[in-house]
Amino acid sequence: SSEVLEAIENVIEGVFKSLAQNKAPVLTVARRSDWRNVEFTDSVGLQMVPRCTMKQVRSDCPRSASRFALMLKILSMIYKMVQSNTYATKRDIYYTDTQLFGSQLVVDNIITDISCMLKIPRRSLHILSTINGFVAGNLSYTEEDGTKVNCTCGATVFTVPSNVQGIKNLISHAKFMLIVEKDATFQRLLDDDFCNRMSPCIMITGKGIPDLNTRLFVRKLWDSFQIPIFTLMDADPHGVEIMCIYKYGSVSMSFEAHHLTVPSIKWLGLLPSDLERLNIHKDALIPFTKQDQKKLASLQKRPYIACQPMWKKELEIMAASKLKAEIQVLTSLSSHYLSRVYLPNKLQFGGWI
């Protein structure tokens, strides 16, 4: 906590020095969403380059003055929370003054900018993420406050822990982990007792684009158990992008890549090539929208696709057909096809890429 307080004090000292010299104070932050500030490596994924381009948030510029003020406001709130050892969610911060902040997105972006600027993880700033993720299967652990969590009991679902760094005594006999894109598919697999039917496993869902805690948790489990991790996503550009976030990270959070990415993750399904192999009727598939085409074109240019020839081939199949499919399309073959045929065959015979 002393490091956090010192880092904030250094920023404020810089503001005072500028004022003492009759200069307009400026905050300097990295351009987090600029691909030119990111490099790709097989071992880590997308990570911010050491000397990235910066942008100035000026106090004397009409376009950035309000953002400058909001950054100082949130820095002061973080300082007080660290001093008093209290915590708040991003939503809590937004609701302290909704009119001042304007929107939740503004608060979210400023907090990430501050985390990047100070080079301190969000959790150490005493800001908690809103938790969306669920976990189930062969896993038990103890939370920071001593609460014992046992996910192994039948079809019990637990939310991903709010303080991933604080969990300890992790125990699992799982043979693999399965990351499921959607909550509905996750629940269906639980109902079918998938976690125990074939071999013990851990199942996780971020319910779409994963929040920070879910990504931290996947990484923690990988560090702890070193078991294979597979993803089950819709066969569409959105599903592929979500998988890439787990595997290689995102541009906006590339400054924290070392804690968030798991480059060993495998794409189990739903593969575009599976649709033809399984003779899925074209009436069950969904035509691409313009947004889908744009997203796919963007994915095909990403640096990590070049080192994944099999992935590249699957994206080419998708681009040629201009059709997408949800995981639920497998129910057109039979109601239990996903859990009793598709996944067991894939896992047994190596149907992943």
Side-chain angles (χ1 to χ4, degrees), residues 65-335:
S66 62
R67 190 172 184 86
F68 178 91
L70 293 179
M71 286 185 77
L72 289 190
K73 168 78 173 170
I74 292 176
L75 277 167
S76 74
M77 293 173 81
I78 292 168
Y79 194 86
K80 285 172 189 169
M81 288 192 296
V82 174
Q83 273 188 321
S84 60
N85 196 28
T86 54
Y87 289 81
T89 64
K90 294 183 294 182
R91 200 141 186 82
D92 292 335
I93 289 172
Y94 168 61
Y95 276 108
T96 58
D97 198 329
T98 55
Q99 283 191 310
L100 178 67
F101 293 119
S103 76
Q104 182 69 59
L105 187 62
V106 168
V107 172
D108 295 355
N109 282 331
I110 287 176
I111 288 168
T112 309
D113 273 343
I114 287 172
S115 176
C116 184
M117 178 176 73
L118 300 179
K119 295 182 172 57
I120 293 170
R122 191 188 300 166
R123 172 78 198 187
S124 299
L125 300 177
H126 284 229
I127 296 171
L128 306 172
S129 297
T130 307
I131 303 161
N132 291 322
F134 286 150
V135 59
N138 195 288
L139 175 69
S140 63
Y141 55 87
T142 307
E143 294 197 340
E144 185 186 30
D145 63 0
T147 304
K148 290 184 178 176
V149 176
N150 186 1
C151 307
T152 313
C153 309
T156 313
V157 175
F158 290 87
T159 54
V160 167
S162 61
N163 179 10
V164 173
Q165 290 94 327
I167 64 174
K168 50 189 182 292
N169 305 328
L170 286 96
I171 300 168
S172 177
H173 304 291
K175 302 298 181 192
F176 63 92
M177 272 173 59
L178 183 66
I179 299 171
V180 182
E181 178 185 350
K182 288 179 176 172
D183 184 34
T185 308
F186 179 86
Q187 297 293 345
R188 181 64 192 265
L189 289 171
L190 273 182
D191 292 344
D192 286 353
D193 196 28
F194 177 75
C195 290
N196 302 307
R197 185 181 291 277
M198 201 174 104
S199 59
C201 74
I202 300 168
M203 268 201 328
I204 287 180
T205 181
K207 296 195 280 186
I209 296 171
D211 58 79
L212 194 63
N213 266 32
T214 303
R215 291 171 63 189
L216 283 167
F217 192 51
V218 169
R219 176 58 192 251
K220 177 92 172 182
L221 294 176
W222 160 246
D223 287 338
S224 302
F225 304 123
Q226 300 281 306
I227 53 177
I229 304 180
F230 303 106
T231 58
L232 180 62
M233 306 281 153
D234 288 341
D236 65 13
H238 189 67
V240 174
E241 177 151 71
I242 289 170
M243 172 174 56
C244 291
I245 289 171
Y246 283 107
K247 185 176 174 75
Y248 293 128
S250 59
V251 178
S252 63
M253 292 298 293
S254 60
F255 65 96
E256 273 201 63
H258 287 271
H259 309 292
L260 295 171
T261 62
V262 186
S264 62
I265 282 173
K266 304 284 189 288
W267 187 4
L268 186 69
L270 188 61
L271 302 178
S273 59
D274 289 338
L275 304 175
E276 198 171 311
R277 182 176 61 82
L278 297 172
N279 292 318
I280 302 290
H281 201 278
K282 286 205 171 179
D283 289 349
L285 305 179
I286 307 162
F288 262 24
T289 62
K290 283 185 180 177
Q291 196 178 1
D292 291 325
Q293 290 179 340
K294 193 176 174 183
K295 176 70 74 184
L296 181 57
S298 165
L299 281 167
Q300 288 177 306
K301 291 173 189 168
R302 303 272 171 92
Y304 40 70
I305 297 299
C307 73
Q308 291 279 3
M310 298 294 284
W311 285 32
K312 191 177 177 185
K313 198 173 174 184
E314 292 293 333
L315 296 186
E316 284 167 359
I317 292 170
M318 205 187 288
S321 71
K322 290 189 173 63
L323 293 169
K324 59 184 180 178
E326 296 183 337
I327 298 160
Q328 288 87 333
V329 77
L330 296 176
T331 56
S332 66
L333 301 173
S334 80
S335 58

